[in-house]
């Protein structure tokens, strides 16, 4: 199941728009996708996206989702992310250093429109930690997080 999808659309005036799609799937094995297992899994749309694009296979991951997302969005090793991976952490702290420049902010500087769809898990306790605070222009979540009673979520 794809839990997080980032879509960025370039808007340069002199060239045809380029599209960047980054899909991050939690709890999936290496051979869960058709382009990696000689068609044993039926994933024709994803197979075509990979065939027409770039398949990045050398990305550092971690046993939990937040450090993996931190690595993808910051370009740094997962160790720089939230090692506890608790939901409470997302409401009380930033899973990654707020001083890190994230990929969506860099894409925005390059004149891209950025959209984040699905799971975030990179901080929600302050506006600066949210997807919008990290550079995403539009955000769509498949679940709406609720604030723990012990936290004011300001």
């Amino acid at each position: 199941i794809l839990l997080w999808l980032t879509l960025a659309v370039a808007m340069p005036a002199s060239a045809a728009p380029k599209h960047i799609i980054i899909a991050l799937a939690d709890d999936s094995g290496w051979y869960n996708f058709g382009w990696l297992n000689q068609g044993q899994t039926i994933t024709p749309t994803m197979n075509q996206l990979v065939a027409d694009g770039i398949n990045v296979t050398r990305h550092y991951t971690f046993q939990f989702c937040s450090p993996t997302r931190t690595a993808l969005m910051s370009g740094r090793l997962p160790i720089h992310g939230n090692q506890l991976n608790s939901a409470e952490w997302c409401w009380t702290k930033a899973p990654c250093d707020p001083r890190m420049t994230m990929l969506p902010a860099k894409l925005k500087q390059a004149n891209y429109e950025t959209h984040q769809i699905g799971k975030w898990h990179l901080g929600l306790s302050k506006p600066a930690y949210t997807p919008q605070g990290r550079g995403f222009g539009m955000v769509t979540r498949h679940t709406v997080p609720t604030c723990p009673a012990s936290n004011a979520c300001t």
Side-chain angles (χ1 to χ4, degrees):
I1 298 173
L2 291 177
L3 297 176
W4 186 45
L5 176 69
T6 303
L7 173 65
V9 182
M11 303 307 283
S14 62
K18 305 290 183 195
H19 299 278
I20 301 169
I21 298 173
I22 301 171
L24 178 64
D26 285 339
D27 304 323
S28 64
W30 179 257
Y31 285 102
N32 285 4
F33 306 100
W35 72 90
L36 295 170
N37 65 22
Q38 293 75 42
Q40 293 177 27
T41 306
I42 301 170
T43 55
T45 303
M46 292 173 66
N47 295 356
Q48 192 61 50
L49 285 170
V50 170
D52 293 343
I54 299 171
N55 184 20
V56 179
T57 58
R58 295 186 66 184
H59 170 67
Y60 290 101
T61 63
F62 195 75
Q63 62 189 358
F64 305 123
C65 63
S66 293
T68 298
R69 284 169 167 69
T70 298
L72 183 63
M73 290 288 102
S74 70
R76 300 191 63 189
L77 293 173
I79 195 72
H80 297 287
N82 169 13
Q83 302 297 304
L84 300 175
N85 203 61
S86 67
E88 184 178 344
W89 184 280
C90 285
W91 286 111
T92 60
K93 301 176 182 178
C96 58
D97 190 331
R99 296 170 297 180
M100 287 184 197
T101 303
M102 297 293 199
L103 180 61
K106 288 290 189 185
L107 288 171
K108 211 173 202 180
Q109 290 174 1
N111 230 11
Y112 278 79
E113 290 182 22
T114 56
H115 306 273
Q116 187 266 329
I117 302 168
K119 185 175 172 181
W120 176 243
H121 276 211
L122 289 178
L124 295 169
S125 64
K126 296 181 180 177
Y129 302 162
T130 65
Q132 297 93 331
R134 293 298 199 156
F136 283 106
M138 185 176 130
V139 176
T140 305
R141 288 193 207 37
H142 58 82
T143 58
V144 178
T146 57
C147 179
S150 62
N151 186 355
C153 295
T154 57

